[in-house]
Amino acid sequence: MPMPTLILLMGFPASGKTTHAKTLTGIHINKEQIRQGATGSSEFQGDFNELVEHLTQRSVHFYLTQGKTAI
């Protein structure tokens, strides 16, 4: 089984994180996309923050236990 890898990208808004992530090979986990799927909006909504955090963590855990690279 391949070694699971977690790559975290952090930075200021519009600093190129998403553009750089597209050059990396792995499963792209995007909190805004998870928020959009869970709430119907990619905008931050405090009432749903705990749910979005939970879904993000579960996604990361799932792919890492499969031996995948999660970005």
Side-chain angles (χ1 to χ4, degrees):
M1 177 179 261
M3 174 71 95
T5 304
L6 176 61
I7 300 172
L8 299 175
L9 299 175
M10 296 172 52
F12 292 109
S15 63
K17 298 177 299 292
T18 301
T19 300
H20 180 63
K22 290 177 182 178
T23 69
L24 303 173
T25 302
I27 306 298
H28 295 187
I29 299 171
N30 183 307
K31 225 184 227 187
E32 283 73 30
Q33 290 176 339
I34 292 173
R35 185 176 289 115
Q36 175 75 37
T39 69
S41 171
S42 61
E43 309 249 339
F44 177 81
Q45 299 172 34
D47 295 345
F48 294 104
N49 193 49
E50 191 173 322
L51 171 64
V52 172
E53 290 294 330
H54 177 74
L55 292 172
T56 303
Q57 290 175 11
R58 294 287 298 161
S59 297
V60 169
H61 181 264
F62 174 78
Y63 289 115
L64 292 178
T65 58
Q66 300 297 311
K68 308 282 185 193
T69 295
I71 303 166

